[in-house]
């Protein structure tokens, strides 16, 4: 039987990100992707014009309908959350599916700053999700926000390991700090608390940027782990796929 993944994220009509990449990738990796929308957009926010429908008021009703069907999930995979209320809804959803493997992509910011709709209060609430997760996939900015460390672009591998261990101390056994740019290289750094191992996956940096690469990365890891593949193999596969996709698109 296919593993069921509740994918909590926004849906954009145009722009390959969030649910529009999670659904095909998780399906290709032979899992059943069950979308749980947080917002509906005409196009992702990198476009000069877009509409935005906040789905917060429907999320509780959506979940109640699933409960009435007695649906359970093998994995809960949480991405972009548009409000504090949504964070509370997702936290309660995770607690009501206490046997599910929980992956949290703590979408909050990049380049050292919060995205426009995020702030310290929301960050502290997202930490509540991180505490009850099994795996988190922040970028370097989000890793610093979660640990109250100052963001800069010159973290050594040992300092990055310290960041990952600080995040893991909040609750998750596995941490991937993704998309760290070092000169002509891009690094995905992972830490497995159970094995007390670090993994450093290095690819050439193409100097090109595309929206949705973080969603692709986390979706591949999610799908591979649900099929019993190892943590290191999943990170390597996700890193290689994203690198090749960027090169092809560029």
């Amino acid at each position: 039987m296919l593993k069921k993944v509740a994918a909590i994220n926004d849906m954009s009509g145009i722009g390959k990100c969030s649910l529009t990449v999670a659904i095909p990738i998780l399906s290709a990796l032979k899992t059943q992707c069950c979308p749980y929308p947080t917002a509906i957009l005409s196009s992702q926010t990198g476009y000069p014009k877009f509409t935005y429908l906040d789905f917060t008021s429907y999320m509780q009703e959506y979940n109640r309908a699933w409960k009435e069907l007695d649906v359970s999930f093998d994995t809960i995979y949480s991405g972009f959350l548009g409000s504090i209320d949504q964070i509370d809804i997702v936290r309660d959803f995770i607690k009501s599916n206490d046997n599910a493997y929980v992956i949290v992509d703590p979408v909050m910011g990049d380049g050292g700053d919060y995205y426009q709709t995020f702030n310290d209060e929301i960050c502290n609430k997202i930490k509540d999700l991180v505490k009850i997760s099994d795996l988190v996939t922040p970028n370097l900015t989000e890793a610093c926000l979660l640990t109250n460390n100052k963001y800069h672009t010159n973290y050594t591998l040992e300092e990055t390991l310290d960041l990952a261990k600080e995040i893991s101390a909040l609750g998750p056994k596995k941490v991937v700090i993704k998309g760290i740019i070092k000169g002509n290289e891009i690094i995905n750094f992972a830490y497995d608390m159970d094995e007390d191992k670090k993994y450093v996956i290095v690819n050439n940096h193409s100097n090109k940027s595309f929206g949705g690469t973080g969603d692709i990365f986390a979706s591949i890891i999610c799908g591979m782990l649900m099929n019993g593949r190892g943590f290191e193999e999943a990170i390597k596969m996700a890193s290689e796929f994203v690198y090749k996709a960027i090169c092809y698109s560029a």
Side-chain angles (χ1 to χ4, degrees):
M1 183 179 293
L2 295 179
K3 297 286 185 73
K4 286 201 292 293
V5 179
I8 307 168
N9 218 323
D10 65 278
M11 172 73 83
S12 294
I14 298 174
K16 298 296 186 183
C17 65
S18 307
L19 286 175
T20 55
V21 298
I23 294 169
I25 287 171
L26 289 170
S27 299
L29 291 172
K30 296 180 171 59
T31 66
Q32 182 182 351
C33 182
C34 306
Y36 192 166
T38 60
I40 310 295
L41 295 86
S42 58
S43 57
Q44 55 109 320
T45 58
Y47 284 79
K49 172 69 177 179
F50 59 88
T51 62
Y52 181 94
L53 174 64
D54 187 337
F55 211 64
T56 304
S57 61
Y58 299 95
M59 288 179 73
Q60 293 280 33
E61 186 176 348
Y62 200 100
N63 185 29
R64 279 195 294 270
W66 274 353
K67 284 183 177 178
E68 289 175 13
L69 293 173
D70 196 26
V71 177
S72 61
F73 298 94
D74 300 287
T75 304
I76 295 171
Y77 162 29
S78 172
F80 173 81
L81 302 175
S83 68
I84 285 182
D85 290 341
Q86 288 188 3
I87 298 169
D88 289 332
I89 291 167
V90 173
R91 181 199 60 209
D92 293 342
F93 179 66
I94 290 171
K95 289 183 176 179
S96 68
N97 289 270
D98 55 358
N99 291 321
Y101 189 86
V102 178
I103 299 173
V104 171
D105 188 2
V107 179
M108 290 186 289
D110 204 357
D113 294 317
Y114 285 116
Y115 295 133
Q116 187 173 356
T117 57
F118 289 81
N119 54 39
D120 288 343
E121 183 182 10
I122 295 176
C123 178
N124 287 331
K125 294 290 287 187
I126 286 179
K127 285 182 186 178
D128 291 342
L129 297 184
V130 171
K131 290 174 183 177
I132 56 176
S133 67
D134 297 289
L135 164 65
V136 293
T137 60
N139 59 30
L140 183 58
T141 295
E142 291 153 353
C144 291
L145 291 171
L146 289 171
T147 56
N148 298 316
N149 281 288
K150 186 175 180 179
Y151 172 84
H152 59 82
T153 58
N154 297 314
Y155 274 91
T156 65
L157 291 181
E158 286 306 309
E159 289 170 335
T160 307
L161 177 60
D162 289 340
L163 272 180
K165 286 184 174 180
E166 281 190 61
I167 295 169
S168 193
L170 294 173
K173 300 294 185 183
K174 292 177 171 61
V175 177
V176 183
I177 302 176
K178 59 183 187 276
I180 303 169
I181 298 171
K182 295 283 188 184
N184 294 322
E185 296 178 333
I186 187 162
I187 298 169
N188 292 308
F189 186 101
Y191 174 67
D192 187 334
M193 177 189 279
D194 285 335
E195 301 290 332
D196 193 26
K197 284 186 178 180
K198 67 179 181 183
Y199 305 101
V200 182
I201 314 300
V202 182
N203 289 106
N204 291 328
H205 180 44
S206 67
N207 292 315
K208 298 287 185 179
S209 178
F210 293 93
T213 52
D215 300 313
I216 294 170
F217 183 86
S219 297
I220 292 172
I221 290 177
C222 175
M224 292 192 70
L225 291 180
M226 290 309 95
N227 281 290
R229 310 301 278 270
F231 185 44
E232 182 179 12
E233 182 187 5
I235 304 158
K236 286 181 176 178
M237 181 65 74
S239 300
E240 186 69 14
F241 184 90
V242 170
Y243 171 69
K244 287 182 177 180
I246 289 173
C247 290
Y248 180 84
S249 298

